[in-house]
Amino acid sequence: MMKLQVAIPFATVLSLASSHTIFTQLQAGSTTSAVGVGIRDPSYDGPISDVTSNDIACNGGKNPTTATNAIIQVQAGSTVKAIWRHTLTSAASDVIDPSHKGPVMAYLKKVTNAVTDPGYGAGWFKIQEAGLTNIANKGEQSITIPSCIVPGQYLLRAELIALHGAGSSQGAQFYMECAQVNITGGTGAKSPATVSLPGAYKASDPGILINIYQTLKGYTVPGPAVFTC
Ligand SMILES: *[C@@H]1O[C@H](CO)[C@@H](O)[C@H](O)[C@H]1NC(C)=O
Ligand SMILES: [Cu+2]
């Protein structure tokens, strides 16, 4: 729970369909993945609005995603960056329309095969969240990979929720993509509690059904608590 005072200019109510966003690249160590390499990117940048859909896990379905055989190597304990862009070809200056205010989050799911696992279902745990700050920082979302999880293949799901239309049911816009990662160096000392996607969110959650065009006394980020070692 965060105490925030949020003032949003009235003009930003006029959001455009063209103002969506995609998690296009992952920076891990000194390497930044090329667009579409190791991340299941959709060609269309539109949101998912139904939290009960399988598409809430790794997109796809409504916005078909492109498969990739690449797996991105990630060091446990390191901080990686999910890079968000308006479209697959947008420059760093074009992240998202400023009207799209809301939280960012990151989840991991341990999988046997990061290339073929469909993503949806049980096994997800949250490793990062940032309240209502949205996408400051030129679209770079910093995510620290826990040092105490078991090494191996995971899906890394970065998510941004835009709340400009969230005052009505199914008005929140969920943007997410899954990166296919191989985490090395984890101690395996802890086993995170997990949730299912779909399942972890309800359309009526206070962080999902919310009118942000008012002075907010606080904001409750949806989903489970962040796992820490
Ligand atoms: C994951 O990393 C380990 C340790 O470096 C390596 O042995 C293994 O081949 C990697 N697996 C994949 C799928 O990249
Ligand atoms: Cu949008």
Side-chain angles (χ1 to χ4, degrees), residues 5-6 20-21 35 37 46 49 51 63 93 101 117 120 127 146 186 196-197 204 208 219 221 227 229:
Q5 298 289 312
V6 185
H20 308 319
T21 195
V35 174
V37 177
S49 55
V51 298
N63 308 327
S93 58
K101 299 205 166 21
D117 191 282
Y120 53 78
I127 58 169
S196 180
L197 285 168
S204 58
I208 292 176
Y219 178 74
V221 178
F227 167 77
C229 291

Side-chain angles (χ1 to χ4, degrees), residues 34-47:
V35 174
V37 177
I39 303 177
R40 304 171 186 181
D41 279 326
S43 54
Y44 176 62
D45 60 0

Side-chain angles (χ1 to χ4, degrees), residues 15-21 45-47 96-97 99-100 162 164 173 175:
S15 65
L16 303 172
S18 59
S19 50
H20 308 319
T21 195
D45 60 0
I96 192 169
D97 185 274
S99 69
H100 285 40
H164 51 294
Q173 298 186 348
Y175 298 94

Side-chain angles (χ1 to χ4, degrees), residues 71 73 153 182-184:
I71 294 180
Q73 306 300 317
Q153 298 183 42
N182 183 37
I183 296 178
T184 56

